[in-house]
Amino acid sequence: MSYLDFDTIAAIATPVGRGGIGIIRVSGEKAVEIAMSFFRPVSGVREPKSHRVYYGTFVGEHEETLDEVILFYMKGPKSYTAEDCVEIQSHASPVVMRQILDLLLASGARLADPGEFTKRAYLNGRINLSQAEAVIDLINARTTTSHEMAISMVKGELGQRIAGLRDTLKGISVTLEAILDFPDDVDESIQAEIIRGALAGEVTQTLTAFIQNFDDSDIFRNGIRVVIAGPPNSGKSSLMNYLSGEERAIVTSVPGTTRDLIEEFIHIDGIAFHVTDTAGIRVTDDPVEKIGIERTLTRIDASDLVLYLVDGSEGLPSEVLTQIRAYNDSRQCLVLVNKSDLPHRGACGVLEGEGIECLSVSVKTGEGIDAVKEKVVARILDSLPEDRSALVPNRRQVELVRKALNNVENAVEGIDSQLSFDAIAIDIRSAMDLMGEILGEEVRVDILDEIFSNFCIGK
Ligand SMILES: Nc1nc2c(c(=O)[nH]1)N(C=O)[C@@H](CNc1ccc(C(=O)N[C@@H](CCC(=O)O)C(=O)O)cc1)CN2
Ligand SMILES: Nc1nc2c(ncn2[C@@H]2O[C@H](COP(=O)(O)OP(=O)(O)OP(=O)(O)O)[C@@H](O)[C@H]2O)c(=O)[nH]1
Ligand SMILES: [Mg+2]
């Protein structure tokens, strides 16, 4: 499909709100004509040259000046969309930008759908589908780690690996066809052995690694789920406020202050943590508090790490110790003995005697909190592989990878049980098709629409 088949689209590409500069983007065959209808360059030029910027005014219907702007022209295919692209860089007033956009729409442009510029970059063949999808991950990245993952995808490294795998499968497919067409000329058992080696080796390993990387990266994408739990009044909400840097939760000296779950995203060392402050766990007759405690327990069950806080000035009641033992055995749990600014009653000693790791902290003075952060990050990183630059497919891609791995495993089993090469060739073909789907060569239109609808307008 040539880029000339598309109409010309326009949208505001920068966030809405007041700011320094804002960009309105136009892409398509008529981009220059449309943009020039209300642009008055100081140089008087009529035909802008590609990859040049022009200074001038953008005027309204009665030649009144709306703003002084810069116009930037990129002639296709050397542009973001691979079509003729014009950007109008104005002051970032929402009123001005809206007026400029309206004039562009009145001159024949259509308002772009979400993600349509990137969709065109893909449909015009400048980038593959996994690169286009990576652009949205890049915009949405909340941490330096998820940003790193996205940028390697934008560069197209995942696509190259997938294309490489598909070549390998293609080679196998060709060999299988040769065997089927000229059975007398080839030694089947030797060929089967070679094919089996490639499938069970390189192909299986690469696909398995993609799935593994996806599973590992989930934690970076969505944040590590940390729950702050413990008896009432131990300082849980104080810790939540300290970590989030704002007065997020109510803190009082009344035990049972927090009833509902209180959630925040915080970042430590480029890793996102989804932290929940909870109602203190105790036996109670208060129906509201009871519900709160049920919620606490459910949230603990769905967590990656529990920060279990106790009040060190209170000692360690036996029911609290029992609970700590249970959590420590069943999940990732770090016990914090709080209020180290007050005289302590040996809670750390008791816990260490039981082989339970604990840290002494004071949320009031901030003492020991850095050590907590370090410990939490270390615990999380320990459970993950070293290589954080690994290529990570997204949810759509990993589903296709799983299916392809299934095909490859079937093919290997087929060879082992001396199935006909016909049957094996079918599995190989279907794995190849799945690779094509990851690259976006054989994707259904509704799936494309779904992918790009997750973008924002102007991207
Ligand atoms: N003003 C502005 N800033 C921007 C963008 C943009 O579109 N406009 N981008 C948009 O997201 C990003 C940059 N991405 C871009 C990617 C490719 C091309 C491009 O023109 N590629 C052509 C030509 C390369 C060349 O000069 O040889 C190509 O790949 O063929 C432009 C921007 C971030 N900053
Ligand atoms: N001295 C001292 N007091 C603290 C410290 N951390 C919290 N407190 C006080 O302990 C009391 C309870 O703190 P909260 O943060 O509300 O405790 P909580 O665990 O959320 O309590 P519930 O919501 O009732 O379960 C408040 O009066 C805090 O000011 C600390 O490190 N040292
Ligand atoms: Mg609280």
Side-chain angles (χ1 to χ4, degrees):
M1 193 186 301
S2 133
Y3 66 90
L4 294 175
D5 295 341
F6 296 130
D7 53 357
T8 298
I9 52 173
I12 297 172
T14 44
V16 180
R18 286 182 301 144
I21 295 165
I23 299 180
I24 300 126
R25 213 185 208 183
V26 193
S27 177
E29 201 188 354
K30 297 210 170 97
V32 175
E33 182 191 322
I34 290 172
M36 289 304 281
S37 20
F38 291 98
F39 176 63
R40 304 288 171 261
V42 290
S43 64
V45 67
R46 301 211 168 190
E47 294 231 342
K49 291 200 175 80
S50 185
H51 290 79
R52 294 274 171 87
V53 289
Y54 297 90
Y55 168 67
T57 55
F58 208 87
V59 298
E61 281 173 13
H62 309 291
E63 288 296 317
E64 76 280 17
T65 298
L66 295 178
D67 195 5
E68 58 168 354
V69 302
I70 283 188
L71 182 145
F72 174 37
Y73 170 39
M74 286 166 281
K75 187 171 173 50
K78 289 211 155 199
S79 73
Y80 183 72
T81 57
E83 303 171 339
D84 287 357
C85 273
V86 176
E87 294 184 357
I88 293 149
Q89 310 186 359
S90 71
H91 293 107
S93 140
V95 178
V96 169
M97 294 179 74
R98 187 71 229 180
Q99 277 177 295
I100 294 176
L101 178 64
D102 283 344
L103 289 167
L104 295 169
L105 300 179
S107 317
R110 169 175 65 75
L111 183 65
D113 293 331
E116 198 170 3
F117 291 92
T118 307
K119 189 179 190 176
R120 288 191 174 191
Y122 158 70
L123 291 174
N124 291 324
R126 193 181 68 78
I127 56 177
N128 66 37
L129 189 58
S130 29
Q131 288 172 291
E133 288 176 291
V135 172
I136 187 171
D137 284 347
L138 183 69
I139 294 171
N140 291 337
R142 268 197 293 246
T143 65
T144 47
T145 310
S146 47
H147 171 259
E148 267 169 40
M149 297 185 323
I151 203 85
S152 82
M153 298 271 283
V154 172
K155 288 195 278 180
E157 290 163 19
L158 182 92
Q160 283 160 20
R161 287 282 279 283
I162 294 286
L165 269 192
R166 190 173 52 171
D167 287 345
T168 306
L169 292 170
K170 178 132 213 228
I172 292 174
S173 179
V174 168
T175 311
L176 286 173
E177 258 151 46
I179 298 175
L180 289 167
D181 289 347
F182 309 102
D184 299 336
D185 297 349
V186 267
D187 184 331
E188 287 191 16
S189 63
I190 291 181
Q191 287 304 328
E193 198 52 41
I194 294 173
I195 291 171
R196 192 193 183 287
L199 291 177
E202 183 208 341
V203 178
T204 300
Q205 278 158 21
T206 312
L207 294 176
T208 312
F210 280 144
I211 296 171
Q212 185 66 46
N213 291 350
F214 175 81
D215 291 343
D216 292 343
S217 74
D218 208 44
I219 221 159
F220 293 115
R221 253 192 254 275
N222 300 322
I224 292 139
R225 296 163 301 176
V226 175
V227 173
I228 305 175
N233 228 27
S234 54
K236 298 180 297 299
S237 301
S238 306
L239 179 63
M240 173 63 141
N241 292 346
Y242 191 99
L243 291 175
S244 66
E246 53 182 302
E247 295 302 308
R248 186 68 183 78
I250 298 173
V251 169
T252 73
S253 58
V254 182
T257 298
T258 306
R259 303 296 182 90
D260 246 330
L261 302 176
I262 299 174
E263 308 175 60
E264 268 299 314
F265 267 104
I266 65 159
H267 296 161
I268 307 174
D269 286 0
I271 302 173
F273 290 85
H274 179 260
V275 183
T276 310
D277 173 27
T278 60
I281 304 169
R282 66 169 167 183
V283 180
T284 174
D285 289 329
D286 182 332
V288 181
E289 196 178 354
K290 262 191 178 153
I291 298 172
I293 293 172
E294 276 166 28
R295 291 186 178 181
T296 303
L297 299 177
T298 314
R299 187 52 68 96
I300 288 175
D301 278 341
S303 68
D304 299 310
L305 174 71
V306 177
L307 290 179
Y308 196 97
L309 220 66
V310 296
D311 180 343
S313 69
E314 292 272 312
L316 206 57
S318 64
E319 71 273 14
V320 172
L321 182 58
T322 311
Q323 211 171 60
I324 292 177
R325 281 197 196 111
Y327 286 142
N328 198 58
D329 290 344
S330 64
R331 57 179 52 257
Q332 282 257 46
C333 176
L334 183 59
V335 182
L336 308 180
V337 178
N338 190 24
K339 310 197 187 180
S340 64
D341 53 295
L342 300 176
H344 260 209
R345 300 212 183 161
C348 271
V350 174
L351 291 166
E352 273 157 13
E354 299 221 3
I356 297 172
E357 185 171 18
C358 73
L359 293 171
S360 169
V361 300
S362 168
V363 180
K364 188 176 177 185
T365 64
E367 187 195 329
I369 305 279
D370 282 346
V372 172
K373 290 184 178 173
E374 267 171 41
K375 190 86 213 163
V376 166
V377 170
R379 285 266 191 112
I380 296 305
L381 293 185
D382 272 356
S383 62
L384 293 174
E386 299 253 311
D387 182 13
R388 285 209 254 157
S389 65
L391 295 180
V392 186
N394 64 26
R395 197 166 291 281
R396 180 191 74 88
Q397 294 159 343
V398 81
E399 286 319 315
L400 300 169
V401 168
R402 281 188 223 278
K403 284 188 195 160
L405 182 59
N406 198 16
N407 287 140
V408 170
E409 283 167 354
N410 280 345
V412 171
E413 271 171 39
I415 293 174
D416 289 347
S417 52
Q418 293 178 341
L419 224 60
S420 82
F421 282 176
D422 267 335
I424 295 161
I426 290 173
D427 273 321
I428 301 295
R429 249 294 125 224
S430 113
M432 279 169 65
D433 289 346
L434 290 161
M435 302 289 109
E437 227 178 292
I438 294 177
L439 295 169
E441 288 163 15
E442 4 223 327
V443 205
R444 296 207 320 262
V445 175
D446 54 330
I447 295 184
L448 274 189
D449 287 346
E450 151 117 27
I451 291 169
F452 287 100
S453 67
N454 287 323
F455 279 66
C456 32
I457 290 190
K459 189 57 229 178

